[in-house]
Amino acid sequence: MFDLSGKKAFISGASRGLGRQFALALARAGTDVVITSRTLSSLDSTSSEVNALGKECLSLEMDVLEEESIKAAAEAAESHFGRIDILINNAGCNIRKPAIDVKWDDWNTILDTNLRGAFFLAQALAPGMISRNYGRVVNIGSVTCVAGYAGLAPYGASRGGIRQMTMSLAHDWGSHGITVNCLAPGWFK
């Protein structure tokens, strides 16, 4: 295990699944964490587990569909911990339907959650990272970043966008000591 003692991490979508596991893994590596969800109470279990590992956990309500919610969470996190060193951009959603059945609102919900929200959360935390000439951004993509599947057209478009956005941000912010990477997991329980 690598040592991240003293680092401060921000994990979006941390109430369950990958987000919860990222929070716990980072805490085990020595990181204090900020965890977010649209519903604050859904973070109680993750927060308790992080605290049991001896690390500080700040739980924040945040909706990546709302610009002001993103800005408020970023400001609260930086105010509480003084800085954010690591962003795990994990919040996401999917609405599985055959392409012929995808509605306008389905498309917008998926793209706005998975892609627009991730961009503006990274943007909200980047100024602090730039000022310290250090930061780590990990965008969570999917195997659909590089492969298309039936019933996943908007989801695949959003995850392909995450991959492209990651490369652009890495180029944009690399000279400021910020690395930006994309994890693209496949299906799992």
Side-chain angles (χ1 to χ4, degrees):
M1 179 71 92
F2 50 91
D3 184 13
L4 295 174
S5 296
K7 299 294 184 196
K8 313 300 181 189
F10 188 113
I11 303 104
S12 67
S15 64
R16 63 184 190 272
L18 286 177
R20 177 189 183 99
Q21 295 306 315
F22 292 136
L24 295 174
L26 286 165
R28 284 186 200 102
T31 308
D32 293 319
V33 298
V34 176
I35 57 175
T36 71
S37 176
R38 289 175 293 160
T39 308
L40 195 58
S41 63
S42 70
L43 296 168
D44 292 346
S45 178
T46 305
S47 179
S48 294
E49 289 187 63
V50 168
N51 290 327
L53 294 168
K55 301 314 299 176
E56 187 175 353
C57 183
L58 174 65
S59 297
L60 296 173
E61 187 175 298
M62 183 183 75
D63 185 345
V64 295
L65 294 176
E66 301 294 331
E67 182 180 16
E68 290 308 313
S69 182
I70 291 169
K71 288 179 180 179
E75 288 173 14
E78 289 179 330
S79 176
H80 183 84
F81 281 124
R83 71 183 193 283
I84 296 298
D85 303 299
I86 302 163
L87 167 62
I88 308 295
N89 233 334
N90 177 68
C93 74
N94 191 12
I95 302 169
R96 290 176 184 260
K97 290 183 179 178
I100 198 74
D101 296 329
V102 172
K103 304 292 185 227
W104 184 273
D105 287 342
D106 298 333
W107 179 274
N108 288 341
T109 297
I110 295 166
L111 271 287
D112 290 352
T113 300
N114 298 353
L115 185 55
R116 185 179 69 179
F119 174 82
F120 284 103
L121 179 55
Q123 184 191 62
L125 292 170
M129 293 177 178
I130 289 169
S131 73
R132 289 182 305 281
N133 205 43
Y134 180 87
R136 302 293 179 256
V137 177
V138 180
N139 294 318
I140 306 306
S142 160
V143 70
T144 62
C145 286
V146 295
Y149 298 93
L152 296 174
Y155 183 79
S158 73
R159 294 310 185 185
I162 284 288
R163 180 174 177 249
Q164 293 302 118
M165 180 186 80
T166 296
M167 291 185 287
S168 179
L169 293 180
H171 191 225
D172 211 353
W173 296 340
S175 63
H176 301 288
I178 300 170
T179 62
V180 186
N181 290 283
C182 176
L183 292 180
W187 284 268
F188 56 90
K189 284 187 177 184

